[in-house]
Amino acid sequence: MSLTCSICQEVPESPCVSQVSGHVFERRLIEKYIQENGTDPMNGEPLTVEQLVDIKVPPSAKPRPPSATSIPAILKALQDEWDAVMLHSFTLRQQLQTARQELSQTMYQHDAACRVIARLTKEVTAAREALATLKPQTTQQPMGSAAATPQHPPPTPEHAAGDAQQATAAVAAAAALEEPSGMSDAVTGRLEQKAKELTAQRKQRGKSAPEGLCSVELVSAYRQLASHIGLHSASNPGILCLDAFLANPARVVTGGNDKTAAVFNTDAQQLVCVLHGHTKKVTSVAYHPYEEDLVFTGGQDSLVLVWDPRTAALRAHEDAVTALSVHPTGDFLLSGSRDGTWAFADIRAGRLLVRVADPAGQQPLTCAQLHPDGMIAATGTQDAQVKMWDLREQKFLTNFEQHTAPLTALAFSENGYYLATAAEDSTVRLWDLRKLKNFKVLQLGGSESGQPSGPASSHARALAFDHSGTYLAAGGGDIRLYHTKQFNELCMLDNHTAAVTGLRFGTNARSIVSCSLDRSLKVFGCGSD
């Protein structure tokens, strides 16, 4: 049974029935009729849209038009439909191919851009490091300064490559821990003879200050004269140690976190050379007192490297080297290590003479230095003790136990009577070696009890007496200068932005050179008189 509309006499798509007449209508047509007339078209009585009731019937297919009732007409309709589908499919395939080509081109351009960016980033980093390294060489000497002493030209890439190859070969040759050969009578005789000469020279100098020594007033007026930041790599910043050439303190050597050591001339503001050879951080450096082309470096790789025209390596320790000190004869080298031993080596013969461990227990050594006469050595340990050793007999002499935290630095005065020690308890203690007594305590920071307190940079990491023994410098969070007569503070220099790790006085204490974890090497002084 099918319903037909009373108006159009066709099967309605949305059938509805009138409550007034009961006839079936196409909703679209009856709503338009009601809107125009307001009555039922069958009996003329009033009718509203609300009085129409929808009829729920199953969907039915509309009858085909007469033109589609024959087989040829149906085949033509199907052919037209197929053609349309094929044309649409062809258009979609064309659009897909175009989209694939555009996507491939875009991905290729993106990949090329990433490669270019990576290459440029690498070149910029290398250029910055090269610029930082070359910058001190291009800095001109200030007007009115003294003429710089003749210096060796900066190393060429070929020389640098040769030095690196020599260092690599030396390191490979020192792969095994060297066995000590012992202290011969000839070595002992040389040490004793040099000690007698130095003692006699010290007595002749007497207690008077050397001529030309910088006055207390000028030291109190110290200010920054120069700052250099291009000695070590910027990618792994931080200078860990410093030493100066005795005959020309303007020539210094530094060791850094970047596994290299650098020789720099502060007067000429010139980087002399960069020493590559260590595989870990360079933690200690020493300059030969008489030969400006001979330096020593020690690193966390447990190696001691001797740098001269022929690089040599000495493996005297099993752990990081923490201290180096050249004997006054210039022929021997003392080294201390975190393996708890100190070693004494003949640098001319290239052999280890003795390696000594503390019989009371092997505490890591954090610092070590030879006495100016060269017959005793001092070591600082991780357990807050300062120990004195007889170099000739390799025997323990005495220890100082007043510190309450690990030792960080120690320094002998040139007069041979005083020893300065610094520790993480934020104190610097002065010892009289004649009485074996602590006679002065300098408080740098922390609590009054001497216990560690506040930032790590509050304790001293570097100590240095000037060559006359008149002034003492302590470097940590800042640099403080003291007069050794009463050990009163003369001035404080806070130009570094990180902990100070090395200090050395210039000739007659007219300047002082410092290095820091902020990657800078700074020169302080009183300027022109």
Side-chain angles (χ1 to χ4, degrees):
M1 175 181 177
S2 62
L3 301 176
T4 58
C5 176
S6 299
I7 298 177
C8 66
Q9 303 300 318
E10 293 183 1
V11 178
E13 294 180 359
S14 300
C16 62
V17 63
S18 170
Q19 297 180 7
V20 175
S21 63
H23 285 265
V24 176
F25 301 97
E26 173 70 50
R27 174 173 281 278
R28 173 175 52 82
L29 297 176
I30 190 61
E31 286 182 352
K32 185 178 294 186
Y33 186 86
I34 293 173
Q35 185 179 1
E36 294 177 357
N37 303 294
T39 58
D40 189 309
M42 302 308 296
N43 56 17
E45 294 183 5
L47 179 66
T48 61
V49 175
E50 288 75 13
Q51 291 177 305
L52 299 176
V53 178
D54 291 330
I55 301 175
K56 302 297 184 182
V57 295
S60 59
K62 294 180 65 176
R64 293 181 180 275
S67 61
T69 55
S70 64
I71 291 178
I74 293 175
L75 292 176
K76 185 178 184 306
L78 291 175
Q79 184 66 45
D80 294 342
E81 187 70 20
W82 172 263
D83 294 342
V85 170
M86 289 300 101
L87 290 173
H88 182 64
S89 176
F90 177 74
T91 303
L92 290 179
R93 286 198 303 269
Q94 282 187 324
Q95 293 176 352
L96 176 61
Q97 183 65 21
T98 303
R100 283 179 175 176
Q101 291 178 351
E102 292 177 354
L103 178 60
S104 176
Q105 183 69 15
T106 303
M107 292 180 65
Y108 175 78
Q109 292 176 351
H110 178 267
D111 182 66
C114 290
R115 292 176 181 272
V116 171
I117 291 173
R119 180 175 57 82
L120 291 178
T121 302
K122 184 177 180 180
E123 292 179 356
V124 167
T125 302
R128 285 177 176 173
E129 292 185 1
L131 179 62
T133 303
L134 296 175
K135 188 175 181 180
Q137 301 180 6
T138 59
T139 305
Q140 296 183 355
Q141 188 172 349
M143 295 296 294
S145 61
T149 57
Q151 299 297 333
H152 299 286
T156 63
E158 291 77 8
H159 293 162
D163 293 342
Q165 292 176 358
Q166 289 185 9
T168 303
V171 170
L177 187 66
E178 187 170 343
E179 291 298 326
S181 60
M183 191 88 76
S184 65
D185 293 338
V187 172
T188 303
R190 291 163 64 186
L191 299 183
E192 292 177 347
Q193 179 64 29
K194 189 63 175 180
K196 291 179 181 179
E197 294 176 3
L198 293 174
T199 302
Q201 293 175 7
R202 189 175 294 111
K203 290 181 179 180
Q204 291 178 0
R205 289 198 300 265
K207 297 183 178 180
S208 59
E211 184 179 355
L213 182 67
C214 194
S215 65
V216 174
E217 292 76 14
L218 291 177
V219 172
S220 301
Y222 264 14
R223 56 184 175 84
Q224 179 176 314
L225 301 180
S227 179
H228 310 282
I229 61 172
L231 278 68
H232 292 271
S233 173
S235 59
N236 195 4
I239 303 178
L240 302 179
C241 45
L242 167 72
D243 198 15
F245 183 42
L246 181 62
N248 179 18
R251 194 178 177 97
V252 299
V253 58
T254 61
N257 278 324
D258 59 355
K259 310 174 189 178
T260 68
V263 180
F264 187 76
N265 190 308
T266 59
D267 282 347
Q269 300 187 24
Q270 179 183 13
L271 182 63
V272 179
C273 62
V274 178
L275 309 176
H276 298 269
H278 286 283
T279 58
K280 295 184 179 179
K281 298 177 182 178
V282 179
T283 53
S284 182
V285 294
Y287 222 124
H288 194 278
Y290 315 121
E291 301 179 24
E292 68 173 4
D293 292 330
L294 183 56
V295 298
F296 312 92
T297 61
Q300 286 188 350
D301 54 8
S302 75
L303 283 177
V304 176
L305 297 184
V306 182
W307 300 89
D308 61 358
R310 293 178 301 173
T311 305
L314 179 68
R315 189 178 292 276
H317 302 283
E318 297 177 339
D319 205 342
V321 178
T322 55
L324 296 175
S325 181
V326 184
H327 192 270
T329 60
D331 298 330
F332 306 98
L333 179 69
L334 174 79
S335 61
S337 170
R338 295 195 66 84
D339 64 5
T341 65
W342 60 268
F344 194 66
D346 187 335
I347 59 179
R348 302 300 181 184
R351 69 174 185 270
L352 178 65
L353 299 180
V354 295
R355 181 171 53 245
V356 180
D358 189 351
Q362 285 186 258
Q363 284 289 332
L365 301 187
T366 56
C367 48
Q369 190 173 4
L370 287 168
H371 186 271
D373 288 344
M375 292 304 295
I376 61 175
T379 60
T381 64
Q382 188 73 27
D383 61 349
Q385 295 193 36
V386 181
K387 300 192 175 186
M388 308 298 295
W389 301 84
D390 184 328
L391 194 61
R392 178 177 52 188
E393 301 292 336
Q394 302 97 56
K395 290 183 179 180
F396 169 72
L397 298 176
T398 187
N399 66 328
F400 306 131
E401 300 179 334
Q402 278 81 351
H403 282 291
T404 59
L407 270 292
T408 55
L410 54 82
F412 284 102
S413 173
E414 178 59 26
N415 62 19
Y417 300 147
Y418 298 147
L419 171 66
T421 60
E424 293 181 8
D425 57 12
S426 299
T427 63
V428 174
R429 293 181 180 269
L430 282 302
W431 310 85
D432 191 327
L433 300 180
R434 297 164 294 185
K435 303 177 182 178
L436 301 180
K437 178 181 178 182
N438 176 213
F439 65 91
K440 186 70 175 180
V441 178
L442 305 176
Q443 190 75 36
L444 300 184
S447 61
E448 294 297 328
S449 62
Q451 296 296 329
S453 175
S457 60
S458 63
H459 63 262
R461 295 170 180 250
L463 295 172
F465 284 96
D466 78 298
H467 191 62
S468 69
T470 306
Y471 302 107
L472 170 66
D478 50 39
I479 301 173
R480 304 189 186 192
L481 301 177
Y482 300 90
H483 189 264
T484 57
K485 186 174 183 180
Q486 298 294 333
F487 286 96
N488 55 311
E489 184 176 320
L490 299 179
C491 69
M492 181 180 70
L493 307 169
D494 56 359
N495 302 69
H496 283 289
T497 59
V500 177
T501 54
L503 293 168
R504 285 297 182 269
F505 276 97
T507 305
N508 289 330
R510 294 192 172 274
S511 64
I512 188 170
V513 181
S514 65
C515 65
S516 167
L517 293 178
D518 63 7
R519 202 171 67 93
S520 68
L521 179 77
K522 296 185 183 295
V523 182
F524 301 91
C526 51
S528 58
D529 296 344

